[in-house]
Amino acid sequence: FNEWLGEGIFVLPHGVGARDGGDKWQRQRKIASNIFNRANMNGLMKSVFNENAAHAVNVIRPGETLDIQTLFFRFTMDSIMAVFFGEKTNTLEGQSSAYGSAYDQAHRALTKFFFESLPFNSFLEILPFPLEGKGGPVGRLHRWMNKDWQEVVEAKKVLDSEAQRIIEQSYADPNLPTRCDLLSLYMNDPEIKAMPTAERYTYLRDTVLNFVIAGRDTTACTLTWMFYILCQHPDLQREIHEEIDQKLPATQPMGIAELAHGNVPKLHALLYETLRL
């Protein structure tokens, strides 16, 4: 996982056992928390989610079968590219995204490699020194010969190249000091600014990739599951429709106030029950 996630928040050691006392992990977490404030929710995120919701509606055809999970995976990738990188994409309506495609490729191949390698990895643990472990010579040879792992490696090259491009474009943006996407929050941090260039680029690349993993798949799967629940309960679906039609007219952009519990309690109950399940 370190080869895939680098030194992002998912793999950085933290707590009393960490050599640095968890300082790197804590700093990544602290900076990222600044994106979830009321101004951002009613500004950047509101505009991004409303715009991408409109794109999603454009690809839905009445009477046609739709793969709703694919739709939500594209919706969340487009949203995350804007909220995390400050870059607009529209995979919902068929535009290509090199970062999004490489991410999907790496994710699929890594998942397949991980589960299919479980028996072999157990075998690696009983080998004698210095052959034992996934990091030993036998484990490295296994990865080198495995087509799924090689697919991960190739996709990771594209992700690294795209991350480098986005970072360079962001540094060239005169509006960088006032931007509020996740990447800019890290780029504007004084401690990160002081890092040597190569170390800073690697840090930014790994940090944002980890947050893409945290936010993209989890949100898409939650939304898919929520619609699955609605399909199983047509009475509930009708009640939610009525509440939305009454409280959230199609011409009104939605923000924190419009989506507050007091305004749409049934929609909130649906979402929380989805998360519980």
Side-chain angles (χ1 to χ4, degrees), residues 8-172:
I9 197 168
F10 281 144
V11 290
L12 274 177
H14 59 282
V16 293
R19 290 183 178 179
D20 65 349
D23 286 347
K24 286 184 179 179
W25 180 88
Q26 186 65 37
R27 185 156 195 81
Q28 282 194 25
R29 187 176 183 275
K30 183 178 180 180
I31 294 173
S33 68
N34 292 324
I35 199 172
F36 301 105
N37 57 58
R38 180 169 288 273
N40 237 359
M41 290 288 187
N42 272 325
L44 174 65
M45 294 187 191
K46 177 179 178 178
S47 63
V48 167
F49 294 144
N50 278 290
E51 181 178 347
N52 287 332
H55 292 319
V57 170
N58 288 340
V59 302
I60 298 173
R61 300 288 181 267
E64 293 184 6
T65 301
L66 175 71
D67 186 336
I68 197 87
Q69 187 169 54
T70 298
L71 180 78
F72 284 137
F73 271 107
R74 291 174 180 171
F75 173 85
T76 50
M77 180 56 77
D78 287 345
S79 299
I80 276 180
M81 291 299 290
V83 174
F84 285 3
F85 288 111
E87 178 161 288
K88 277 194 173 185
T89 59
N90 188 10
T91 61
L92 275 162
E93 294 185 286
Q95 292 182 12
S96 62
S97 167
Y99 192 96
S101 298
Y103 175 87
D104 286 338
Q105 176 187 341
H107 193 271
R108 284 193 300 267
L110 183 64
T111 301
K112 185 179 178 185
F113 171 79
F114 178 80
F115 285 106
E116 291 185 356
S117 297
L118 284 175
F120 187 80
N121 288 338
S122 299
F123 165 73
L124 288 176
E125 298 305 319
I126 63 174
L127 288 177
F129 177 83
L131 303 176
E132 87 284 6
K134 293 184 284 294
V138 178
R140 293 197 300 271
L141 178 64
H142 170 63
R143 292 197 297 278
W144 180 75
M145 295 178 63
N146 186 280
K147 64 180 181 64
D148 294 318
W149 181 256
Q150 291 308 311
E151 193 175 337
V152 174
V153 172
E154 290 305 310
K156 187 66 165 61
K157 290 178 182 177
V158 176
L159 287 172
D160 292 350
S161 173
E162 280 296 290
Q164 178 90 1
R165 175 187 64 80
I166 293 169
I167 291 168
E168 288 176 354
Q169 285 183 351
S170 295
Y171 274 123

